Amino acid sequence: MPRVVPSEIIALIDQHYSAFNARTLDITHATVAGLMAIARLVDELPTELLTISGADYSDLVSGVEAIKNSVGFWQRKGAGQIGVSEIRGRNVLSLIRDALAKCPDQSPSPVTADLAFISDADLRDSIRLDLSTATSALHNGEWKAATVLAGSAAEALLLWAIGPTPDLTNVPVKTKGPPDEWALGVYIAVADSLGLIKRPTAQQITLAKDFRNLIHPGRAQRLGETCDKGAALTALAAVELIVRDLSN
């Protein structure tokens, strides 16, 4: 099933109901399909995108239920035109639109690791979003997207763990430039040498490393390889192991 986001529903409201702020909203043969579509799409919104609460959430639910109830009454009536009851003197589409405008189109899934060990909120949320999107891509059969995003999250986690000025005195790895310019392979080797991740974790990330590199078309063509479900699972497993090690 396609993923529904708030902005798409807002666009539908604006496209078909330019006068949604008007005090009256009528259900007719011409408007019933659009109103039913809006109610259904709101029902299909992923839970993690409904970040509103209190009065905003109540307005959203009340508006959707008002549409459903009015459409049901109109269908039983068989024809003609009926008006959708207002809520606190406002058109229900106006309430729905205002509530949805406060919801994001992207947000980490509740099941995504919270990464509480990262104090930088912006970095933490960015990595969580990559992990959530990678997981969604896996469920949708988008193997390449899942692999690349998981690899990106792995790089970000390892870079955070290593830090901007690591002590590389006893690290038998050749590095060039600051850590934020290293490749994933160097992150793996350095993190392993510094004891930031366990050896099995380093081995798992190494398995995923080459698959992530297949984002480059030329490399994929030369190697004759493509991202498949196994590659995506390998990359996501690597990230989960990194999170486990860093959490401890």
Side-chain angles (χ1 to χ4, degrees):
M1 177 184 296
R3 182 179 174 85
V4 180
V5 297
S7 64
E8 293 175 341
I9 305 176
I10 292 174
L12 179 62
I13 293 174
D14 291 347
Q15 178 183 358
H16 295 289
Y17 300 93
S18 58
F20 65 84
N21 280 313
R23 291 185 62 84
T24 60
L25 177 64
D26 295 325
I27 296 179
T28 66
H29 283 291
T31 64
V32 66
L35 290 169
M36 291 176 66
I38 290 170
R40 175 177 172 179
L41 289 174
V42 172
D43 286 342
E44 293 180 359
L45 277 172
T47 304
E48 63 266 24
L49 299 184
L50 290 174
T51 56
I52 52 178
S53 60
D56 292 324
Y57 186 71
S58 296
D59 284 345
L60 178 65
V61 174
S62 297
V64 170
E65 291 304 314
I67 289 176
K68 291 179 180 179
N69 289 336
S70 296
V71 167
F73 178 74
W74 179 85
Q75 290 172 330
R76 290 191 297 272
K77 185 179 177 182
Q81 173 178 310
I82 67 169
V84 181
S85 300
E86 298 173 0
I87 297 178
R88 299 197 313 278
R90 293 187 61 189
N91 182 306
V92 296
L93 283 183
S94 176
L95 291 177
I96 293 173
R97 190 188 189 285
D98 287 352
L100 292 176
K102 299 177 182 179
C103 298
D105 280 353
Q106 290 184 310
S107 180
S109 167
V111 299
T112 301
D114 59 15
L115 308 182
F117 53 85
I118 299 179
S119 59
D120 185 327
D122 290 338
L123 176 62
R124 181 174 64 245
D125 289 345
S126 175
I127 297 175
R128 290 189 71 228
L129 182 57
D130 277 352
L131 283 174
S132 179
T133 306
T135 302
S136 296
L138 175 68
H139 294 324
N140 293 332
E142 300 167 355
W143 314 131
K144 186 172 184 178
T147 302
V148 172
L149 285 168
S152 175
E155 286 186 355
L157 286 167
L158 293 178
L159 174 58
W160 172 85
I162 292 170
T165 56
D167 181 2
L168 303 177
T169 304
N170 298 317
V171 174
V173 179
K174 292 184 179 180
T175 62
K176 183 177 182 181
D180 60 3
E181 295 179 359
W182 297 350
L184 178 56
V186 179
Y187 290 139
I188 298 170
V190 171
D192 184 22
S193 297
L194 293 176
L196 300 173
I197 56 176
K198 297 179 180 179
R199 182 55 55 85
T201 301
Q203 294 171 341
Q204 182 69 28
I205 312 171
T206 301
L207 291 175
K209 175 175 67 70
D210 291 336
F211 289 123
R212 170 163 162 71
N213 290 337
L214 294 180
I215 186 176
H216 305 292
R219 179 177 175 82
Q221 184 175 8
R222 287 194 301 274
L223 297 180
E225 296 183 18
T226 58
C227 287
D228 55 16
K229 184 176 182 179
L233 288 170
T234 297
L236 283 164
V239 179
E240 291 295 331
L241 290 174
I242 295 173
V243 171
R244 180 202 64 186
D245 290 355
L246 297 183
S247 296
N248 294 332

